[in-house]
Amino acid sequence: GAGVSQSPSNKVTEKGKDVELRCDPISGHTALYWYRQSLGQGLEFLIYFQGNSAPDKSGLPSDRFSAERTGGSVSTLTIQRTQQEDSAVYLCASTPRGLAVYEQYFGPGTRLTVT
Amino acid sequence: AQKVTQAQTEISVVEKEDVTLDCVYETRDTTYYLFWYKQPPSGELVFLIRRNSFDEQNEISGRYSWNFQKSTSSFNFTITASQVVDSAVYFCALSERMIKAAGNKLTFGGGTRVLVKP
């Protein structure tokens, strides 16, 4: 079946602009995670969604970052007023259920470059 | 707080050599899960193995093997008879006991880049 998909694959934006990154999890997966991979910080957790529960936003680095998940499926990560330090690869992952520990299936990522 | 350390940033070997990747973790929880992921040049993270804290049995899968030792908080990964296709960045990760609000978010180590030369 189809894996986790993310779009766009690459995004170049000017400093100060807003960007939206999209994630389509594997069909039927109820748990969704966003991570960021950057040279300086490595791979770091951003936010977690489980079904209709309130998301865990503990990893968001600032209030410029927000995410939503519509209908328990597709998720959008929004970065407002982008800064150069936001340049990174943003990875999305999903698991079959949140109430058990499963391996996370990762998408190909969106490479964001802020100029 | 949980932490994962991969002390080796890069390892270069010649094909058919064995290579062992070290992973040391820190956690206060008694129930936790350890993972290894592979990130080939294409960029997509590929799951390799999951191990829970109550299962210290070592595991072998083809040319891959894992050595979990709670006494030293280590979860090392060995590739036997390496091949060029094994060239990738390998990440060790830790997830603590499932807490409803937190999911099982992963804490990753810094990764080890493995370069296998023909």
Side-chain angles (χ1 to χ4, degrees), chain B residues 78-116:
Chain B
T78 297
I79 304 173
T80 302
S82 60
Q83 300 176 1
V84 173
V85 293
D86 296 327
S87 295
V89 180
Y90 292 85
F91 290 94
C92 181
L94 167 70
S95 174
E96 290 181 330
R97 175 178 44 199
M98 189 59 207
I99 301 173
K100 186 176 180 181
N104 63 320
K105 59 186 178 184
L106 297 172
T107 297
F108 286 90
T112 298
R113 181 177 300 278
V114 174
L115 177 60
V116 182

Side-chain angles (χ1 to χ4, degrees), chain B residues 17-44:
Chain B
E17 288 183 342
D18 297 349
V19 56
T20 294
L21 311 181
D22 298 332
C23 173
V24 174
Y25 61 91
E26 296 176 28
T27 177
R28 296 178 185 175
D29 217 330
T30 56
T31 302
Y32 52 89
Y33 299 81
L34 296 162
F35 301 79
W36 276 94
Y37 281 85
K38 174 182 180 180
Q39 187 174 44
S42 61
E44 196 157 337

Side-chain angles (χ1 to χ4, degrees), chain A residues 33-52:
Chain A
Y33 301 79
W34 282 97
Y35 294 86
R36 179 169 71 173
Q37 185 173 22
S38 59
L39 281 176
Q41 302 298 322
L43 264 162
E44 52 181 347
F45 165 80
L46 296 178
I47 188 169
Y48 157 72
F49 293 92
Q50 166 53 30
N52 295 318

Side-chain angles (χ1 to χ4, degrees), chain A residues 17-22 34 47 60 62-68 75-82 86 90 112:
Chain A
K17 295 285 181 68
D18 298 351
V19 295
E20 287 188 351
L21 313 179
R22 176 188 168 105
W34 282 97
I47 188 169
L60 294 179
S62 77
D63 58 8
R64 297 185 296 103
F65 287 72
S66 63
E68 62 177 19
S75 176
T76 302
L77 177 69
T78 301
I79 308 173
Q80 296 179 309
R81 305 180 303 282
T82 52
D86 300 334
Y90 289 82
L112 175 66

Side-chain angles (χ1 to χ4, degrees), chain B residues 63-84:
Chain B
R63 295 183 297 105
Y64 295 169
S65 61
W66 291 270
N67 183 354
F68 176 31
Q69 293 194 351
K70 284 181 75 171
S71 61
T72 55
S73 297
S74 65
F75 187 43
N76 297 337
F77 171 33
T78 297
I79 304 173
T80 302
S82 60
Q83 300 176 1
V84 173

